Amino acid sequence: MGIIRELSDSLANRIAAGEVVERPASVVKELVENALDAGSSQIDVELEEAGMKRITVRDDGHGFYPEDAELAFVRHATSKIKDEHDLFRIKTLGFRGEALASIASVSKVTLRTRRKETDGLELVLDYGSVTERNPVAMNTGTELTIEGLFFNTPARLKYLKTTHTELAAITDTLNRIAFAHPDVKIRAVHEDKVLIQTNGSGDVRQALASVYGHQTVSGAVVATGSNADYQLRCYLVKPEVTRASKNYVTLILNGRSVKNFALTQAVLNGYHTLLPIGRYPIAVIEVTMDPLLIDVNVHPTKREVRLSKEQELCQLIEQTIRLSLSKQTLIPKVVEKPAKQKTEQEKIDFSVVADPFEATTNSESTFGSAWNYPIPKRTEQLVTPVSQEKNEAERTSESGQVEARRKFPQLDVIGQLHSTYIVCGGEEGLYLIDQHAAQERIKYELYKHSFGKPHADSQQLLLPYTFEVASHDMTRIDEALPLLKDVGVELEPFGPQSFIVREIPTWFPSSKQEETIQELLDEALDKRKVDLATYREEAAIMMACKKSIKANHPLNHEMMRRLIEDLEATEMPFTCPHGRPVLIQWTNYELEKLFKRVM
Ligand code: ADP
Ligand code: MG
């Protein structure tokens, strides 16, 4: 008795319609997903000419009953759902019963399959019609071979891109599947090149390493979190390894790799200021939830899904990642690039380790050049040096971020290089600190902390500043006022289109006050719909930028020591608010290697 049934018309009509197979990568995806649904522990994929000539997918899953083989190629015939009730509780990757029918209609298919309790069977179809049915001897499982894809649909064939592009799409598809199913051994070979090979150990990090290389993935962090509806497991490659696109963020919801803008954004927000502008992380985010909360029936290839409580999940992702990364020591290590041959995957994703000196765009040109360090509040501490333990205790009571701070190495200042970098020694090697980036981080946290309680500490201005607001902004100013108030700027009406500011917080930068207020005002008008937290954040970055020392500024030993002390006291000392590294390290081992003391 077979298990595949044709869906009723009414149910078939409720299934998201559209083209399932548009390119070789979609065929590979559907076939591999079928193999996973069949409970396989090993899946082999063979490709010729990026799948255009031949795709073979072999699995050791449960196989087909002989009486099901033909039915499997009928549209809307499936063993995975029976009625509408099942449509809301989908636990398999497939459920539409369309893939094999669609694939068979545009190719030559050979199916070889055997269930444990039956004999093996071979079925050959030519563009949708069965031409042969033979017995075969084989182990339990299934092998599907697709040849001459789209030969009968020249319009589609013409639309295909180069072999290289199609192959990249297949590789991307397989990588995501491998991350979602680390317990399955997946191997794919294109002509004589291995595209991917995982060991089925069940560890996502091993799957990641087989795709991106061990060096890239070493030190990846696993962060977990949950709320009433969602369980989350994030595999985060350290932020010094970045990519130029968001494509390396993989979202896996109940075992299915999906695309979702809001969730991807939440991942990026979780990395917060740790990434340089225009660079993105490598991360795998695994979410499990009740199938009732996820609607997979919105897109023909099931790549996009709808979530009942998307906002809550976004928050959970962002917080989990942020908390976990804040506890890590994130100092990029200087490593000699190994002279080894690159793997196929690395050839596709070059730039394995981000260059810490890589130029990024930011508003550096607007920085003031005046040396306006130190931050006054710390004076007493500087005069009477306190012991390390006392420092630690004080910090604990300040914000409870001890763990993050303890990860900061103990550094001794050696000197300054090019009036730009502070050279330090520590137990674990040699460090260079970018003095500008360090100060930006310190100031950013100081301002962000001060925003929100500006009136604790404010000063009257002898000469109030006046600001004009463009007439088209006058209608929006009411929405901007609360944001400004939050950062300590209170506008009083002064004529039809002007406002004055009589008072500002004492911690406002003392030079360029007027310009700073103007920028805060512009930003508030621009961003009037954003929440306070976002505004504070952007305003703090802007002010930190303005007030931080540039490169090319000589510092004496004491100034450097204090800068490092204040850096260590920040919540996230390893990057500036634009995500550039603040310090880099040559480990003792690297130094020994460079001097050929070790080989
Ligand atoms: P769906 O996966 O949506 O059910 P498909 O057209 O992909 O639809 O497959 C039709 C049916 O063929 C599946 O429901 C399943 O019963 C069977 N099938 C497909 N591939 C395999 C496989 N590799 N092993 C066992 N059964 C399979
Ligand atoms: Mg399927």
Side-chain angles (χ1 to χ4, degrees):
M1 233 309 250
I3 50 174
I4 300 181
R5 302 274 175 274
E6 274 188 74
L7 297 177
S8 68
D9 284 351
S10 76
L11 183 51
N13 287 338
R14 295 190 52 179
I15 283 173
E19 218 163 348
V20 196
V21 284
E22 355 185 74
R23 60 197 295 190
S26 28
V27 175
V28 171
K29 172 175 182 284
E30 294 295 336
L31 297 183
V32 174
E33 288 190 346
N34 278 345
L36 289 165
D37 281 344
S40 309
S41 59
Q42 183 164 354
I43 301 172
D44 285 289
V45 181
E46 286 167 21
L47 302 159
E48 280 179 62
E49 288 176 21
M52 268 117 51
K53 185 162 176 211
R54 178 173 71 92
I55 299 171
T56 297
V57 176
R58 200 174 303 113
D59 69 54
D60 62 354
H62 58 55
F64 290 70
Y65 284 103
E67 57 268 46
D68 275 347
E70 269 110 341
L71 197 49
F73 295 92
V74 171
R75 209 167 284 272
H76 298 309
T78 178
S79 59
K80 299 172 192 175
I81 60 170
K82 286 187 221 56
D83 51 32
E84 325 250 313
H85 173 270
D86 292 343
L87 198 52
F88 299 103
R89 288 169 182 76
I90 289 167
K91 295 206 176 77
T92 47
L93 295 165
F95 60 89
R96 305 154 33 103
E98 261 194 333
L100 290 187
S102 310
I103 294 167
S105 69
V106 291
S107 66
K108 295 186 179 190
V109 177
T110 307
L111 164 70
R112 291 196 186 93
T113 187
R114 197 197 127 194
R115 281 192 74 105
K116 205 164 69 203
E117 61 272 46
T118 63
D119 291 330
L121 161 82
E122 179 185 77
L123 195 70
V124 182
L125 295 94
D126 209 1
Y127 297 102
S129 347
V130 176
T131 55
E132 275 181 61
R133 188 182 168 114
N134 311 306
V136 288
M138 64 181 286
N139 292 330
T140 306
T142 301
E143 181 190 281
L144 268 151
T145 295
I146 314 300
E147 286 164 296
L149 193 61
F150 304 129
F151 260 54
N152 62 341
T153 42
R156 169 61 60 196
L157 202 59
K158 225 168 78 188
Y159 165 88
L160 292 183
K161 311 246 166 48
T162 62
T163 309
H164 182 82
T165 310
E166 293 303 330
L167 199 57
I170 292 173
T171 307
D172 182 60
T173 302
L174 288 168
N175 289 350
R176 289 172 197 277
I177 291 175
F179 301 153
H181 299 274
D183 49 333
V184 178
K185 237 181 177 162
I186 297 175
R187 182 181 151 90
V189 180
H190 180 246
E191 285 144 24
D192 55 356
K193 287 198 192 79
V194 177
L195 295 178
I196 183 171
Q197 177 155 23
T198 66
N199 62 8
S201 70
D203 188 337
V204 174
R205 280 167 299 184
Q206 294 205 358
L208 273 165
S210 66
V211 169
Y212 299 120
H214 281 91
Q215 198 195 324
T216 302
V217 176
S218 73
V221 179
V222 185
T224 53
S226 63
N227 63 19
D229 299 304
Y230 298 105
Q231 282 88 50
L232 186 63
R233 239 180 128 74
C234 308
Y235 299 86
L236 311 170
V237 169
K238 50 194 177 199
E240 72 184 82
V241 183
T242 61
R243 291 290 190 269
S245 91
K246 293 181 201 167
N247 255 336
Y248 299 84
V249 173
T250 304
L251 301 168
I252 298 164
L253 308 189
N254 283 358
R256 185 189 304 276
S257 147
V258 301
K259 252 192 192 151
N260 179 300
F261 181 82
L263 299 187
T264 305
Q265 205 51 44
V267 175
L268 304 182
N269 291 346
Y271 274 78
H272 193 50
T273 53
L274 294 172
L275 299 165
I277 292 163
R279 303 292 300 182
Y280 302 91
I282 300 178
V284 173
I285 313 299
E286 221 178 63
V287 191
T288 40
M289 70 198 85
D290 186 326
L292 273 175
L293 288 176
I294 178 172
D295 184 358
V296 292
N297 184 25
V298 292
H299 193 264
T301 67
K302 297 159 276 176
R303 189 79 168 90
E304 276 158 37
V305 295
R306 199 176 295 127
L307 290 168
S308 305
K309 300 186 180 172
E310 187 174 280
Q311 193 51 43
E312 283 88 339
L313 180 56
C314 284
Q315 260 168 27
L316 179 66
I317 291 177
E318 179 175 340
Q319 281 163 7
T320 304
I321 295 180
R322 198 179 282 212
L323 183 70
S324 156
L325 291 177
S326 72
K327 292 183 186 158
Q328 310 302 318
T329 304
L330 301 169
I331 307 174
K333 306 226 172 9
V334 179
V335 287
E336 265 186 297
K337 294 254 165 88
K340 70 170 172 68
Q341 277 275 303
K342 285 198 161 188
T343 64
E344 278 307 299
Q345 295 259 355
E346 280 169 339
K347 278 183 205 158
I348 302 173
D349 333 304
F350 57 98
S351 79
V352 174
V353 177
D355 180 353
F357 296 103
E358 188 175 64
T360 50
T361 46
N362 63 26
S363 44
E364 208 144 346
S365 56
T366 65
F367 297 158
S369 59
W371 166 249
N372 57 354
Y373 198 80
I375 297 163
K377 290 240 165 78
R378 296 201 164 260
T379 326
E380 312 85 11
Q381 255 189 39
L382 299 167
V383 178
T384 338
V386 282
S387 72
Q388 186 60 26
E389 298 87 274
K390 182 153 170 257
N391 248 333
E392 210 57 85
E394 275 176 7
R395 286 169 192 161
T396 320
S397 58
E398 268 171 40
S399 77
Q401 283 270 354
V402 206
E403 215 184 323
R405 279 167 198 171
R406 216 182 279 128
K407 310 257 175 183
F408 195 86
Q410 180 128 38
L411 300 177
D412 293 317
V413 174
I414 296 170
Q416 197 187 21
L417 176 71
H418 302 324
S419 303
T420 299
Y421 304 109
I422 303 171
V423 186
C424 298
E427 213 168 281
E428 286 174 34
L430 178 72
Y431 300 78
L432 275 191
I433 296 181
D434 178 329
Q435 64 193 39
H436 170 75
Q439 211 196 17
E440 258 193 299
R441 166 55 67 181
I442 297 162
K443 298 237 163 206
Y444 160 74
E445 290 197 10
L446 178 85
Y447 289 130
K448 206 174 132 183
H449 181 73
S450 306
F451 288 156
K453 40 184 172 181
H455 302 292
D457 228 358
S458 60
Q459 67 189 58
Q460 285 291 134
L461 291 168
L462 287 178
L463 287 173
Y465 294 120
T466 49
F467 297 93
E468 292 219 331
V469 174
S471 52
H472 62 266
D473 281 336
M474 279 307 285
T475 50
R476 317 190 307 178
I477 191 102
D478 283 346
E479 290 169 287
L481 291 178
L483 294 177
L484 283 162
K485 193 166 168 190
D486 181 71
V487 298
V489 176
E490 275 200 66
L491 295 187
E492 269 177 53
F494 188 69
Q497 252 171 262
S498 311
F499 293 87
I500 56 172
V501 174
R502 295 184 193 278
E503 220 181 47
I504 56 168
T506 47
W507 46 262
F508 252 50
S510 54
S511 64
K512 298 193 186 168
Q513 278 174 347
E514 191 168 359
E515 191 188 312
T516 305
I517 299 171
Q518 183 68 56
E519 274 182 48
L520 289 170
L521 174 61
D522 291 346
E523 195 147 338
L525 279 169
D526 207 40
K527 300 271 164 61
R528 75 217 133 86
K529 286 270 152 52
V530 307
D531 55 303
L532 276 181
T534 312
Y535 179 70
R536 268 177 213 172
E537 162 106 32
E538 288 176 4
I541 292 180
M542 184 274 283
M543 280 173 66
C545 250
K546 269 209 156 4
K547 297 305 295 176
S548 293
I549 36 160
K550 261 191 181 166
N552 279 320
H553 193 103
L555 303 178
N556 67 28
H557 199 86
E558 183 57 16
M559 285 164 146
M560 293 190 268
R561 216 180 54 70
R562 275 149 52 172
L563 183 66
I564 292 169
E565 219 174 80
D566 285 341
L567 177 65
E568 187 180 355
T570 61
E571 282 179 23
M572 180 40 79
F574 307 111
T575 60
C576 80
H578 305 94
R580 290 183 303 152
V582 169
L583 68 166
I584 56 172
Q585 177 190 8
W586 280 264
T587 63
N588 292 329
Y589 178 69
E590 266 318 310
L591 292 171
E592 286 177 1
K593 252 174 56 186
L594 289 168
F595 287 111
K596 308 283 180 221
R597 286 160 165 263
V598 293
M599 297 313 276

